[in-house]
């Protein structure tokens, strides 16, 4: 299990919030990713709940993301909306060869005063090889249209969650039965 907080990009005007994350392997092939958004949530645009389905462009609004690197293959980008919509894309290399990826993650969202929790369950067994690193990030949209960009680690320059520096958590090799 790994617990880490996301940090706002230095160039972002971030609202007074914090974003915590937690990763846990539930089985040999299932990774649970938790995001906890706390603080002044009345300033944050939180998409209303819908029946979760695949949708493009989720990153244009409040969205949590996971970038899962597979050595020698590329990486997979997952987008998780508080609406419970999701998207997944496979890349052959840095922003190259983008294609839809499957299977769909299971997403669970909890909301209460001052906290938004989103948990995604990802089947790693569907990948062509075992991943070696993951990058966790978020885009937060405020009611006034301002967006802030959050990640475990940011590369120099503008926000870029695809950048190799953002794959900040190493994943251990799978435990063999």
């Amino acid at each position: 299990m790994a617990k880490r907080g996301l940090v706002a990009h230095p160039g972002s005007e971030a609202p007074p919030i914090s974003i915590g994350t937690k990763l846990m392997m539930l089985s040999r092939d299932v990774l649970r990713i938790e995001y906890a958004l706390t603080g002044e949530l009345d300033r944050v645009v939180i998409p209303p709940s819908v029946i979760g389905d695949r949708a493009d462009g989720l990153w244009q609004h409040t969205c949590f993301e996971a970038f899962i690197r597979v050595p020698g293959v590329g990486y997979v980008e997952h987008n998780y909306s508080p609406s419970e919509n999701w998207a997944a894309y496979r890349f052959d290399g840095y922003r190259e060869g983008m294609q839809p990826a499957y299977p769909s993650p299971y997403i669970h969202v909890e909301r209460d005063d001052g906290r938004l929790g989103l948990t995604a369950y990802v089947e790693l067994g569907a990948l062509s090889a075992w991943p070696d690193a993951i990058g966790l990030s978020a885009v937060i949209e405020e009611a006034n249209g301002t967006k802030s960009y959050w990640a475990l680690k940011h590369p120099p320059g503008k926000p870029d969650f695809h950048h190799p520096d953002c794959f900040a958590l190493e994943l251990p090799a799978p435990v063999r039965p």
Side-chain angles (χ1 to χ4, degrees):
M1 178 172 55
K3 288 184 178 184
R4 302 267 304 265
L6 301 183
V7 293
H9 185 272
S12 293
E13 291 185 30
I17 60 167
S18 64
I19 305 173
T21 65
K22 184 170 33 170
L23 288 175
M24 180 181 288
M25 290 300 301
L26 294 183
S27 69
R28 185 177 180 281
D29 292 331
V30 178
L31 177 65
R32 182 173 75 191
I33 307 171
E34 297 179 21
Y35 300 86
L37 176 63
T38 58
E40 294 185 25
L41 298 189
D42 56 330
R43 293 180 52 176
V44 176
V45 175
I46 299 173
S49 293
V50 297
I51 296 174
D53 203 1
R54 185 180 192 91
D56 291 323
L58 297 175
W59 56 270
Q60 296 174 13
H61 304 286
T62 298
C63 176
F64 301 99
E65 301 183 350
F67 290 78
I68 304 168
R69 185 175 66 199
V70 180
V73 176
Y75 61 94
V76 177
E77 173 186 355
H78 281 227
N79 302 152
Y80 314 117
S81 171
S83 69
E84 297 187 35
N85 282 340
W86 61 275
Y89 308 97
R90 182 181 62 77
F91 291 84
D92 297 329
Y94 177 70
R95 296 185 178 272
E96 294 178 355
M98 183 174 134
Q99 296 179 17
Y102 295 91
S104 62
Y106 171 76
I107 299 171
H108 176 74
V109 177
E110 295 178 353
R111 302 173 197 212
D112 56 41
D113 291 338
R115 184 182 183 281
L116 170 71
L118 184 144
T119 303
Y121 298 85
V122 180
E123 292 183 39
L124 297 179
L127 300 174
S128 59
W130 188 257
D132 69 345
I134 189 168
L136 300 176
S137 54
V139 176
I140 303 299
E141 180 182 22
E142 293 185 68
N144 66 7
T146 301
K147 291 181 186 153
S148 55
Y149 302 90
W150 299 69
L152 292 171
K153 183 179 177 184
H154 293 280
K158 66 180 184 173
D160 183 359
F161 301 147
H162 293 255
H163 192 280
D165 287 354
C166 288
F167 292 84
L169 282 178
E170 291 184 15
L171 294 177
V175 176
R176 300 287 177 206

